[in-house]
Amino acid sequence: SKLWGKIGPSYCRVHTAESALLSQKTDQKNDKKHPASQSDRKQTSNEVSSSPLTDTFGRFHTYLRISLTERCNLRCKYCMPAEGVQLTQREQLLTSEEVIRLANLFVAEGVRKIRLTGGEPTVRKDLPEIVSQLKAIPALESVGITTNGLMLTRQLVGLQRAGLDALNVSLDTLKVARYEQITRRKGWERVIAGIDLASQLGYRPKVNCVLMKALPSTFVQTHRTDSLAHGASSRRYYSSLSHVDEHTGRATMVDVDDKVSTKRVAKAQATVYVGPTIAALIENNELKKGDVLSISQMAAIVAAKKTSDLIPLCHNIPLSSIKVETSLNSSTNEVQILAKVKCDGKTGVEMEALTAVSIAALTVYDMCKAVSHEILIKNIMLVEKTGGKSEFYRKQFHHEPALESRTAARQAEELPIITRPYQTDPIVTNEPFVPMYI
């Protein structure tokens, strides 16, 4: 038959199972008149477990999805190419009568919930008719659709009158430009308007979001109250980011009042490639602006103490120790920078350590740029963090060992390396810092 050609052996299985189930029910009625033996009852149980809706784990499924079409009015990057795909001929798709017939077969087997999908189901003109006929099936409890939302403002009222129970909307971002980038189409405002309409009609629409590595989602556990409209005051956010307010979604400073003070240590490192010419000048201390390694050390120490002035949401932490080591690796023509910061407080000092090595690297660049701009700042990273709620130790990669390991390796090979360790306790002063080159 035509339906057989569209759904293949699965239809035959459902149809055959329906007959088997009816036969089984007749046998059970006869068993009441003539009690079966224990072996007969066991055989009956095995027949029930072989239902087409029971999987190999013994779970009985009552939820069915029916794809109404392959067509879609979007061209999402993760779904299909910009030019679209070759579509199945219309005569090969299920008609509304065949959809209802198929639904009846599954409902007879125990399905209680049906969701209509695609493609995009709203591109079918007979969607309201299909929903209405599905709702007429006595044992079916729920009919829902999954849609991209573009047609909701036109069709949702009619679908509700037809009996639609549930609604899922696919929306991957709250940013208009990113929506157009992902879908290759305009229409973000129409989707938001459709979600608003669904809420006004009493639905509780669920939003589906595809997470993409190359395009971080703008949904951060978003919860909808009354409106997802752009700029709506009813939008609420629940975020795992510590500097995002859970009620407003705005940046906020972390409250550490209830935290316990502990000893905290952080190490960070940075690398500055300067090239052979500058490396030779640094080694011989012949740069016009002065001793690069010593001045970058001082810059790092000052930067660590000024972190809360540079990074808006950082706490002003009384540091107990700042140690900075700068060294020149003559074989790789790189300046290596390592900072270790300590405090006894309620929050960590990794930002202080990272700020220290970053400013030290920029100082190296500033002092050497007159010779060449072929300077590369790289590998700014947190190496270690201890104390507080969590600790961190960076796994060392073979091609990028830690600064301390590199220094030890160079010394073992007896290759020339210039190291000027410099350490100090922080100086408390109200005078503004003015960097000067001596």
Side-chain angles (χ1 to χ4, degrees):
S1 68
K2 183 179 179 183
L3 184 59
W4 164 261
K6 295 178 181 179
I7 63 175
S10 59
Y11 164 71
C12 181
R13 186 184 179 198
V14 172
H15 184 71
T16 304
E18 181 184 20
S19 301
L21 188 59
L22 292 174
S23 176
Q24 177 185 316
K25 291 178 179 178
T26 303
D27 293 340
Q28 289 175 347
K29 291 180 180 179
N30 293 333
D31 288 343
K32 293 181 179 180
K33 298 179 181 179
H34 307 285
S37 64
Q38 184 175 0
S39 60
D40 291 337
R41 287 195 298 270
K42 184 175 181 180
Q43 182 179 358
T44 301
S45 176
N46 291 336
E47 291 175 355
V48 173
S49 64
S50 64
S51 166
L53 300 183
T54 302
D55 62 21
T56 55
F57 294 96
R59 297 172 299 187
F60 186 74
H61 295 272
T62 61
Y63 175 34
L64 173 67
R65 294 190 180 196
I66 301 178
S67 177
L68 298 181
T69 180
E70 298 171 316
R71 297 180 182 274
C72 185
N73 43 13
L74 295 179
R75 291 294 181 269
C76 298
K77 289 186 175 181
Y78 55 78
C79 188
M80 68 170 69
E83 64 275 11
V85 296
Q86 185 175 359
L87 300 174
T88 303
Q89 296 296 322
R90 179 172 296 180
E91 56 269 16
Q92 294 298 318
L93 298 176
L94 291 173
T95 65
S96 59
E97 293 79 8
E98 290 167 339
V99 170
I100 302 306
R101 181 182 176 188
L102 187 63
N104 273 289
L105 291 173
F106 275 93
V107 170
E109 294 295 333
V111 165
R112 294 295 176 263
K113 177 181 178 181
I114 291 179
R115 178 170 296 278
L116 303 176
T117 66
E120 172 52 41
T122 59
V123 301
R124 278 193 62 150
K125 296 181 180 180
D126 57 353
L127 179 61
E129 177 186 349
I130 293 175
V131 172
S132 178
Q133 293 185 47
L134 287 175
K135 288 297 293 182
I137 301 176
L140 187 59
E141 299 172 359
S142 175
V143 177
I145 65 169
T146 297
T147 173
N148 59 32
L150 284 176
M151 303 292 288
L152 285 180
T153 53
R154 296 183 182 181
Q155 297 188 12
L156 188 54
V157 172
L159 290 171
Q160 186 181 51
R161 290 173 179 171
L164 185 69
D165 298 299
L167 179 67
N168 280 38
V169 180
S170 298
L171 181 62
D172 298 316
T173 178
L174 292 178
K175 295 184 177 181
V176 178
R178 184 168 292 172
Y179 175 88
E180 295 175 3
Q181 179 185 1
I182 295 173
T183 65
R184 302 188 180 100
R185 297 289 188 274
K186 296 183 180 297
W188 182 88
E189 293 83 358
R190 290 169 60 187
V191 177
I192 296 300
I195 295 175
D196 281 331
L197 176 61
S199 295
Q200 294 172 29
L201 293 177
Y203 289 101
R204 299 187 64 183
K206 295 181 180 179
V207 177
N208 299 340
C209 175
V210 176
L211 299 181
M212 290 161 280
K213 185 176 182 180
L215 292 171
S217 174
T218 51
F219 283 103
V220 186
Q221 298 180 4
T222 307
H223 173 69
R224 175 183 173 80
T225 51
D226 296 325
S227 175
L228 276 174
H230 183 64
S233 60
S234 58
R235 188 188 304 166
R236 294 168 58 193
Y237 298 81
Y238 296 88
S239 174
S240 59
L241 299 176
S242 59
H243 288 290
V244 177
D245 186 271
E246 63 179 358
H247 301 296
T248 65
R250 297 178 180 177
T252 184
M253 196 170 185
V254 176
D255 187 352
V256 298
D257 187 55
D258 296 331
K259 291 187 176 182
V260 178
S261 293
T262 59
K263 183 178 180 180
R264 299 169 184 264
V265 180
K267 291 182 181 179
Q269 73 173 39
T271 303
V272 185
Y273 173 79
V274 294
T277 302
I278 296 177
L281 293 173
I282 293 175
E283 184 174 2
N284 298 319
N285 197 15
E286 294 178 350
L287 282 165
K288 292 183 179 180
K289 287 190 174 182
D291 187 341
V292 173
L293 299 181
S294 296
I295 294 175
S296 61
Q297 285 174 335
M298 288 190 290
I301 293 168
V302 173
K305 295 187 290 184
K306 292 286 185 178
T307 299
S308 61
D309 294 335
L310 300 172
I311 311 298
L313 300 179
C314 281
H315 293 82
N316 188 358
I317 302 173
L319 305 178
S320 57
S321 176
I322 306 170
K323 297 180 180 179
V324 180
E325 177 185 339
T326 59
S327 59
L328 175 66
N329 191 325
S330 301
S331 63
T332 60
N333 301 314
E334 293 176 341
V335 175
Q336 312 287 356
I337 306 166
L338 177 67
K340 182 178 180 180
V341 182
K342 296 181 181 180
C343 84
D344 189 353
K346 296 183 177 183
T347 186
V349 288
E350 57 264 40
M351 289 307 302
E352 282 70 16
L354 287 166
T355 301
V357 298
S358 299
I359 296 300
L362 289 171
T363 302
V364 172
Y365 183 94
D366 180 60
M367 296 187 69
C368 302
K369 65 183 180 181
V371 179
S372 172
H373 288 89
E374 296 293 331
I375 302 171
L376 176 63
I377 298 174
K378 60 181 181 178
N379 298 337
I380 297 176
M381 66 179 75
L382 180 68
V383 176
E384 177 184 318
K385 181 181 85 74
T386 60
K389 185 178 180 180
S390 61
E391 297 188 349
F392 171 80
Y393 300 91
R394 183 175 295 278
K395 294 180 180 179
Q396 304 303 330
F397 297 95
H398 178 69
H399 64 284
E400 280 295 338
L403 176 59
E404 294 168 323
S405 300
R406 271 199 299 267
T407 303
R410 299 301 300 169
Q411 291 174 345
E413 296 174 7
E414 297 183 352
L415 293 176
I417 183 169
I418 301 173
T419 302
R420 295 187 178 92
Y422 184 90
Q423 64 184 67
T424 182
D425 292 331
I427 301 173
V428 179
T429 176
N430 293 325
E431 296 180 3
F433 171 73
V434 180
M436 297 179 62
Y437 296 120
I438 302 173

